Amino acid sequence: MKTTSFAHQLTARAALPRLSVGMTESVNIGFLGPLSGRVESWGLPGLNGCRIWEDGLNKAGGVLVGGRRYPIRIHSYDCGYNPDRALEGAVELVQKHNVKLMLMLGGDTFAPVQDFLMRNKVLTSTLLPTDLSPDTPYLIAPSEAHPIQNVTGVAWLAENRPELKTVALCSQMDLLGLPTQAVYRAAFKAAGKKILREVQYDACSMDPGPVVDPMLESGADILCWCSSYTPMVHAMTEYAYAKGFKGQIISCTMDGYGKLVEKTSEEFMEGVLFQFPDFDDPLLREKAFFFNQPHTFYEEYNRRFPGTWSAVSWEYVAILDIWHSAVEKAGSVESPSVLAAMKQLGHVTHAFGHAEWWGEEIFGISNALVGDWPVVTIQEGKARIAGFGSIPGWLAQHSNLLKAEMAALGQLWHQRLESAAPGNEASARAVLG
């Protein structure tokens, strides 16, 4: 399915006629995510990006459905990554606003809304493919393949820093953290790295000492923060700096890395590896993919929402662009038709190029898009793409290893359905790898 670039459209829409004059009926979209609290950086910046998309599309006349244009309206609900509030928000957005697409972070906040949304056939997006199962036919993960994209960072590290032999990793015990721990386990084992220590900790913890100390004591060359939340990533990084760590740090995200450079040093942060680029990156300016002009979006975002750019600032927008293209292809906003349009050709172009629908082997349903993903390192205080890795290429070689590690932590879809998956448990423990 051919998609058009939001950023490219943004620059051209000023010249288009405004065809929405006189149309009061809108197509409603729900944003159900953490707009406050410890997970805010994976919710609120995403909503900010969606507001740019919403404004740009409406200025151009809205979405074309069956020969008529309709304005888009995004309704948000702050669930704060709280399962109970997520259910309240889902009910309100569906029953009050009749949303045709529900944008979610996923994880612990998707589990309580799954039955309600699937029963009402609400097309729902998640950034966490581990939410997928055969019982979620209207759930899609078309933007981020979290946490599977993290294998590209480990593979890059193995190729470019072969002298690093050992690793210690940590993860919070919830539906964001545990799948990531499984993925990093598989990635490091596939790369031939020895895991010396693993630490699991309470997702509400903000004390880095009990987490980082055993990792440092292991003597590992690499410290891996997995998908720890931004406040904890900052706390652990600052703690490792204070303790004199001189090795490699790798993390899924490094939101607000500029503040860490200021609080530690440019030398300490040099080479820190993570998975989410700034969209002013030179390699994105030259690469032809979904966001044909990513720097345009990045500049507009920072003009309107300065100092808030994060890993998700563009991800929900990428989902909206794929949805928009499918809606106009299908001539309908109803979930079965839109989903069929998305899946018709078996692949689409996602944020970083060609991607394929995948997931049946691990999730029981192929509703996740996987393709190339950037590997980002900090260079002289600035995030820069060091290369692109192929998620499908890694899976072709190591999917059995990934499946085994997901099973070991109870994160395969049938395991999560059969028993209550670990959530915010009130204990932390260190385990030997």
Side-chain angles (χ1 to χ4, degrees):
M1 180 173 65
K2 184 179 179 181
T3 58
T4 56
S5 162
F6 162 75
H8 181 70
Q9 294 169 21
L10 188 65
T11 62
R13 282 173 182 158
L16 295 177
R18 299 191 179 190
L19 303 177
S20 60
V21 176
M23 289 193 176
T24 57
E25 183 181 357
S26 63
V27 174
N28 295 324
I29 294 171
F31 191 104
L32 179 59
L35 307 180
S36 61
R38 70 186 188 282
V39 198
E40 177 184 312
S41 71
W42 295 346
L44 183 57
L47 178 60
N48 292 341
C50 291
R51 294 302 184 199
I52 298 175
W53 182 90
E54 177 186 29
D55 292 345
L57 185 61
N58 287 337
K59 286 178 181 178
V63 60
L64 181 64
V65 184
R68 294 181 61 196
R69 289 193 178 274
Y70 300 85
I72 291 290
R73 186 175 180 188
I74 297 175
H75 302 266
S76 64
Y77 191 100
D78 180 12
C79 68
Y81 207 63
N82 180 292
D84 293 333
R85 286 168 60 185
L87 182 56
E88 294 171 0
V91 172
E92 176 177 316
L93 291 169
V94 172
Q95 294 185 349
K96 182 177 179 180
H97 300 294
N98 190 28
V99 298
K100 298 303 182 182
L101 173 68
M102 186 77 78
L103 300 169
M104 295 190 66
L105 171 62
D108 293 274
T109 55
F110 177 72
V113 306
Q114 172 181 319
D115 291 343
F116 174 76
L117 293 176
M118 296 303 103
R119 186 170 62 250
N120 285 279
K121 297 183 179 180
V122 179
L123 186 62
T124 304
S125 70
T126 178
L127 299 186
L128 311 178
T130 45
D131 291 333
L132 298 171
S133 79
D135 291 334
T136 61
Y138 296 103
L139 181 69
I140 54 174
S143 181
E144 179 183 350
H146 183 277
I148 302 171
Q149 80 272 358
N150 295 322
V151 302
T152 62
V154 175
W156 184 92
L157 198 63
E159 181 177 351
N160 290 274
R161 297 291 307 277
E163 73 278 9
L164 304 177
K165 305 293 186 182
T166 58
V167 61
L169 57 86
C170 65
S171 177
Q172 74 274 23
M173 293 182 290
D174 64 10
L175 296 185
L176 270 162
L178 293 176
T180 311
Q181 183 180 356
V183 167
Y184 273 114
R185 275 183 177 181
F188 281 118
K189 289 179 180 180
K193 306 301 181 184
K194 184 176 182 180
I195 300 175
L196 299 182
R197 183 66 59 90
E198 298 183 57
V199 180
Q200 295 179 339
Y201 65 90
D202 177 7
C204 295
S205 174
M206 278 298 297
D207 184 1
V211 179
V212 181
D213 278 338
M215 299 172 71
L216 293 172
E217 290 167 3
S218 72
D221 302 321
I222 305 166
L223 299 183
C224 177
W225 304 149
C226 290
S227 287
S228 296
Y229 300 126
T230 299
M232 193 61 167
V233 167
H234 280 236
M236 293 189 297
T237 303
E238 291 177 36
Y239 190 88
Y241 170 74
K243 289 289 185 175
F245 180 67
K246 302 294 185 183
Q248 173 73 49
I249 291 176
I250 181 172
S251 181
C252 177
T253 63
M254 194 61 62
D255 295 335
Y257 66 84
K259 294 180 180 178
L260 282 172
V261 173
E262 294 175 0
K263 291 184 177 181
T264 60
S265 70
E266 188 174 296
E267 180 183 10
F268 177 77
M269 295 295 292
E270 184 73 15
V272 168
L273 188 151
F274 53 109
Q275 304 284 170
F276 293 89
D278 293 339
F279 268 32
D280 63 347
D281 195 287
L283 289 186
L284 296 186
R285 286 178 178 266
E286 302 301 325
K287 190 174 174 64
F289 56 74
F290 189 71
F291 278 85
N292 288 330
Q293 298 180 30
H295 58 285
T296 301
F297 176 77
Y298 184 76
E299 290 166 0
E300 174 69 6
Y301 183 96
N302 284 293
R303 183 186 69 80
R304 290 182 55 172
F305 309 103
T308 66
W309 181 268
S310 84
V312 305
S313 294
W314 57 271
E315 288 193 306
Y316 298 97
V317 174
I319 295 168
L320 287 170
D321 246 350
I322 292 171
W323 173 84
H324 177 211
S325 179
V327 165
E328 295 198 342
K329 181 182 180 68
S332 170
V333 294
E334 300 306 318
S335 297
S337 298
V338 176
L339 184 58
M342 287 183 179
K343 304 291 281 293
Q344 185 175 1
L345 296 182
H347 69 272
V348 300
T349 301
H350 81 151
F352 303 110
H354 172 84
E356 302 174 355
W357 292 105
W358 172 85
E360 185 171 356
E361 181 178 357
I362 302 295
F363 311 125
I365 190 171
S366 292
N367 276 12
L369 280 177
V370 295
D372 286 352
W373 199 269
V375 177
V376 181
T377 61
I378 295 179
Q379 303 172 26
E380 298 181 348
K382 175 66 175 173
R384 286 288 181 248
I385 294 175
F388 288 85
S390 171
I391 299 173
W394 189 95
L395 290 169
Q397 298 183 60
H398 305 296
S399 61
N400 288 337
L401 177 58
L402 174 62
K403 190 172 184 178
E405 295 299 340
M406 294 283 282
L409 288 176
Q411 296 303 304
L412 293 177
W413 68 266
H414 57 84
Q415 294 175 306
R416 292 169 65 162
L417 290 178
E418 290 168 1
S419 62
N424 296 331
E425 302 175 13
S427 62
R429 60 189 176 91
V431 293
L432 290 176

